[in-house]
Amino acid sequence: QMQLVNRLKIVLAEKNITNKWLAGQLNKSVITISRWSQNKSQPSLEQLREIAKVLNISPKDLINDL
């Protein structure tokens, strides 16, 4: 089974964007964003696309394949 590890924390740091800002853009709780960026939970494919759109990057930039 392939495990996806999202790179959200890294991308947010690179872009100097806070979890709070992203939460507001996506209409999600800061806790949800925090869980994603700590890889405690994973966004759905649809959510990954949304995040990528908001951050102006490719969805692939958000994913590490292990």
Side-chain angles (χ1 to χ4, degrees):
Q1 176 191 344
M2 218 164 56
Q3 191 190 358
L4 289 183
V5 175
N6 75 66
R7 297 181 65 248
L8 185 56
K9 191 177 196 169
I10 297 159
V11 174
L12 291 179
E14 282 170 357
K15 291 186 170 275
N16 210 11
I17 290 172
T18 64
N19 286 355
K20 188 176 179 181
W21 181 86
L22 186 59
Q25 295 298 305
L26 298 172
N27 210 11
K28 298 277 179 212
S29 73
V30 177
I31 291 166
T32 298
I33 305 298
S34 174
R35 289 180 66 80
W36 289 346
S37 61
Q38 292 169 26
N39 277 292
K40 288 183 178 166
S41 67
Q42 296 297 330
S44 69
L45 211 52
E46 192 50 49
Q47 288 164 332
L48 270 177
R49 286 195 192 103
E50 240 181 285
I51 295 164
K53 199 161 122 185
V54 167
L55 297 178
N56 201 21
I57 57 174
S58 158
K60 285 184 179 155
D61 294 336
L62 285 168
I63 299 169
N64 274 346
D65 294 331
L66 287 186

